[in-house]
Structure formats: C-alpha cells, structure tokens
Amino acid sequence: MAQTIVIFGASGDLTSRKLIPALYALHQKKRLPPATRIVGFARTPFSHEAWREQLAESTAQFAGAQFNIATWNELAARIFYFPGSVDQPDNFRALDRFLEEIEDSSTAARLYYFAIGPQFYEPAVVNLGATGLADETRGHRRVVVEKPFGTDLASAQQLNRQLRAVFAENQIYRIDHYLGKETVQNVLVLRFANTIFEPVWNRNYIDHVEITAAEALTVGHRAGFYDTAGVLRDMFQGHLLQLLTLTAMETPVRFEAEAVRDEKVKVLRAVRKLQPEHVASDTLRGQYRGYRDEPGVRPDSQTATFAAVKLHIDNWRWQGVPFYLRSGKAMSCGTTQLVIQFRQPPHMLFESGPRVPRDSNRLVIQIQPAEGVQLHFYTKVPDAGMQLRLTDLSFRFRDTFAGPLPEAYQRLLLDAIQGDPSLFARADEVEAAWRIVDPIQTAWDAGAPPPLLVYEPGEWGPTASTDWMTAQERQWFDTCPILR
Ligand code: BG6
C-alpha cells in the first residue's frame, strides 16, 4: 500500500536535523515502502522546490559521508511542501485533497508526525478529527507525538484524552527517542538473551543501580523552552525512567508490544512515591554557573539543570536496592550509562579484596557515546603476592560491528510506518512516569528543600552530589568514556 508521511512543523529543527536525514537513510537502505511520499506542513511559505533544496543542504550536513546526491534526488522527487496552519480546518481539508492527488491510489497509509510545539498538539488533533483525516477506511492513519508529552500528570492526561477522542490507542505513537537507540534496546538483549546475568539481577546480588545521562553541552539556543521545563521534565520523565524500566522489568511473556509495555508499566507503578520529606533527603538539584546569563533564561531562574534522584522499587526483585538517577547539562563530559553495582563477596579471603560494594564487581552498560558493555572484576596482580586489582572485560559495538550505529529516528520512523508500537510509550506508561516526577517537581517549585545548588560547568554537578553518595557509603561512577 502507498505510504504518506505528513510532517507537521516541517520548517523546524527536528525535521531538518533528524527526521529527513533518518528518512533519507531508510531510503538509502531500501527500507521505506516503495513510493513513500513525504509532505511537509508548516506556516512558512515554500515551494516544493525551495523546500527540497533546503533539505538537500541540511541532509548533506547531517548525513555526512552517507550522503549521495543521486540517492537524495530519488527521494526528493517524492518530497512535497504544503503551507498551512494547524489551527485552520480549511487548511486540513485542502491538505487532504492534495494528499489524494499525490497518493495516486484510492488507498494509502498515512503517518502524521507532530514535530510542532506542544501548544499546537490540540488544534492539530482536533482538526485531523474534524476533517476526517483520522478515518481509516482508506488505509491506516497513525500519529506520532513528540515529547514533551505534557508538563505534568494532569496535562499528560488531558493530552491523552484529546488524542483518544480522535485516534484509537493503537494509532498513537508517543516518541521517546531513547527507545530508538540500539544500545537501549540492547539492554533487553543483554538481560534476556543471556543466561549469566538474570540469576544475579536482583536484590541478593545487586547493591544499587546508577543511571546517568550527563551532557557536556549547555542549554544553548533552547533556553526559552528549557527554562520552563528543567531537567526533571526534560530528561527524567522520559529518557531516564525508560532506562530504569528496561533495567528493572520482569521478563515479558513474549517479545511483543503489549507484553513488553505491560512489564514496563508494572515497574513504574512499583516505584515508591516520594513524600515531601524524602524529596528533601532523596533528591538533589543544581544549576550550572552562568545558566542565568544564557539568552532566554530569567535572571532569577530557579530551574534545575542538574538533578540526582534516589528511587525505590517496591517489589520482590528490587526491595532495598536504590536506583540512583542523575542527569545534567554542562557536566564533565557527555555520557549516558547504566551501572549495576554488585555487592561485595559474603566473605573476603584476600586482604586487598573488596569489602564494600563500591569496590566490588560492576557491570557498566555504555549507552553513548562509547557504546558497549564492561564487566569489572578482580584479578590477581602477577608477581605481587596476593595483591588484587579491579580489571575489566570490555565489549565495544564499534570493535565488533562495522559501520556507525544508526540514529534512533530511523528505527522509530520505520516501526511507526510498519505499525509496531513496541518502542513507543503507551498512555498509562507516560502517566505512570509523571506520577513519579510530579511530587518532586511540585516540592521544588514550592521552594521546599533541597535547595538549588550552583555547580561549575565541567564538573559532575554540585559537589554535594558526591558527598550525598559518600554519606550513603556509595560512589558515583564518574568516568568519562574513552573514545577511540
Ligand atoms: C532531548 C532533550 O529529549 O534529549 C535534550 O530535550 C537532550 O535536552 C536530548 O539534550 C539528549 O538526547 P541524546 O540523544 O543526545 O542523548
């Protein structure tokens, strides 16, 4: 069946940086359905030709060495532009007529991609519904919704209601681009395609889990958005909690969307809700020095650009095992990693062997940029009596597999086209994540402790973060990945 992708918000950054390069890569790999049409929809007037030219430049830039002009031209011939505004029903009717013209067939599947600001989601959904564009009598109609999915639980529920008034749940694809990353999907493979990890993947062997998404970048030109969001909404509600669910979930009965998503939701529902006194003791918030001078940031902004949060999962597997989640901008380096910190051996024979968890075995799953897995274990130092040293076994994707890892959007776009929602968040999943984040954000917004701490750019967040872990006899794995 013919396939059309309509990108609402086509003149924005996401379209040129991520979506079109991903579609280009899919076309190059011959994975797009034949004769896929791509239609950009936005207010800025462009001719088809002018938009294609602009996209050719940006795609050449973002696709780098993979860019080939002849391949691009094949795709570009099927790229169109339709000027319009998402709050004008007439524009949608005209869009429908235009799509019918170019689809060249009485049936065609359509994917509507919301690359628009979240304030435009509602009119876009309402108008898609009102003008019959969500109707599936002539082929699938699916909608991809970008983050932010709401700003709190109430707004996420409201957005879910608006979407569900027009689309069925199986037509809605809520994106969290972390799920499109190969290394994130590999967490499931590591856990469930191997026998050696799962038996020790529980409270009997694991002391704690660390999930870090550190960025060296500052907020840059996104300060206007970021200052109203902050790190909890921007990174924790989606990306970090997604990593937590994949790390903590039980084995799904089958590898299919609903079974996987059921298990993820169970984890989120088992996360203990933080009471105000625990927000004070179990969270940290920071702001990098210089943040308030960024253009678009309020001079007295209390927005956190760094947070560390300790969560507990109340179930049999994880009772008593804290999950430490941490993310920040302007940090020492860019690294996203999961650290499974094992307990020390129950009885230590060797004098220089580990006696506390922080010196013991560790599994480090590098999500990016040094994608891979390292297992840290003790080895005898040769010719040094019974001296021991923590050494590691290291696997790197780039050493084992040829070529760069594909961008997350390639997989996600293809899955949405093919109707596989496994790597997209379900309504209850998004809401469960907000239930975890909301009490923290509410307490912080009310000025409750902990206070907002200033940290120096290029550090691992506020120094209090290190002390906080030391006080719990733990230690962050503050190591920048080695890129070779
Ligand atoms: C986005 C956030 O969702 O994820 C950004 O809005 C953040 O603030 C980005 O920089 C990180 O994504 P990645 O893929 O670079 O880890």
Side-chain angles (χ1 to χ4, degrees), residues 33-314:
T36 296
R37 274 90 170 161
I38 300 165
V39 179
F41 180 103
R43 278 178 299 198
T44 324
F46 277 118
S47 63
H48 302 311
E49 231 3 89
W51 198 46
R52 287 172 192 152
E53 271 169 33
Q54 188 173 316
L55 291 180
E57 255 175 57
S58 51
T59 309
Q61 182 189 344
F62 295 115
Q66 312 292 319
F67 190 77
N68 171 292
I69 191 69
T71 315
W72 167 257
N73 286 338
E74 289 161 15
L75 182 71
R78 290 187 270 113
I79 296 183
F80 305 89
Y81 189 82
F82 191 89
S85 168
V86 288
D87 54 10
Q88 296 297 320
D90 282 353
N91 292 170
F92 281 73
R93 280 187 210 103
L95 171 70
D96 195 25
R97 287 192 294 275
F98 175 71
L99 295 180
E100 279 178 13
E101 251 169 57
I102 60 164
E103 276 162 355
D104 199 20
S105 142
S106 59
T107 55
R110 289 185 192 166
L111 187 70
Y112 303 122
Y113 199 110
F114 287 2
I116 36 182
Q119 69 277 28
F120 300 117
Y121 291 170
E122 185 189 354
V125 177
V126 168
N127 284 325
L128 281 171
T131 52
L133 268 80
D135 186 274
E136 292 205 287
T137 44
R138 293 194 302 110
H140 292 298
R141 300 289 182 262
R142 298 187 179 119
V143 60
V144 180
V145 186
E146 265 291 336
K147 70 176 275 268
F149 198 92
T151 53
D152 57 12
L153 175 61
S155 55
Q157 285 172 325
Q158 166 79 354
L159 181 52
N160 275 330
R161 276 194 295 274
Q162 287 161 352
L163 285 162
R164 296 288 293 272
V166 172
F167 293 97
E169 179 65 31
N170 66 5
Q171 293 175 277
I172 306 169
Y173 290 71
R174 297 171 193 80
I175 273 218
D176 184 313
H177 79 277
Y178 265 51
L179 291 176
K181 292 181 191 280
E182 296 285 336
T183 45
V184 172
Q185 294 157 35
N186 192 50
V187 174
L188 292 183
V189 176
L190 185 82
R191 290 190 54 198
F192 302 132
N194 297 297
T195 28
I196 57 171
F197 299 113
E198 218 32 38
V200 294
W201 209 263
N202 57 51
R203 63 192 303 274
N204 298 327
Y205 295 93
I206 295 177
D207 176 72
H208 71 273
V209 174
E210 255 175 68
I211 302 179
T212 294
E215 293 179 284
L217 298 173
T218 59
V219 293
H221 71 282
R222 293 174 69 236
F225 152 76
Y226 193 88
D227 203 40
T228 60
V231 65
L232 282 185
R233 293 189 180 101
D234 190 45
M235 293 297 291
F236 280 65
Q237 188 275 338
H239 310 329
L240 265 65
L241 285 177
Q242 285 292 346
L243 293 175
L244 176 138
T245 57
L246 298 177
T247 310
M249 69 194 260
E250 298 299 321
T251 323
V253 282
R254 267 180 300 281
F255 189 59
E256 59 184 34
E258 294 322 315
V260 172
R261 300 198 292 183
D262 286 347
E263 294 306 333
K264 288 169 67 189
V265 171
K266 276 195 218 161
V267 174
L268 294 173
R269 290 180 57 201
V271 171
R272 195 180 304 160
K273 189 175 163 189
L274 284 189
Q275 301 301 328
E277 66 275 21
H278 291 130
V279 173
S281 61
D282 293 0
T283 76
L284 283 178
R285 50 175 167 156
Q287 188 184 73
Y288 65 82
R289 191 179 298 288
Y291 172 73
R292 292 179 185 177
D293 303 328
E294 304 271 16
V297 172
R298 292 160 295 165
D300 58 349
S301 171
Q302 293 295 309
T303 300
T305 61
F306 168 93
V309 172
K310 175 175 160 183
L311 294 175
H312 292 279
I313 300 176
D314 285 331

Side-chain angles (χ1 to χ4, degrees), residues 352 380-389:
S352 66
K380 182 182 177 306
V381 179
D383 200 19
M386 284 315 282
Q387 254 210 342
L388 312 188
R389 189 189 297 166

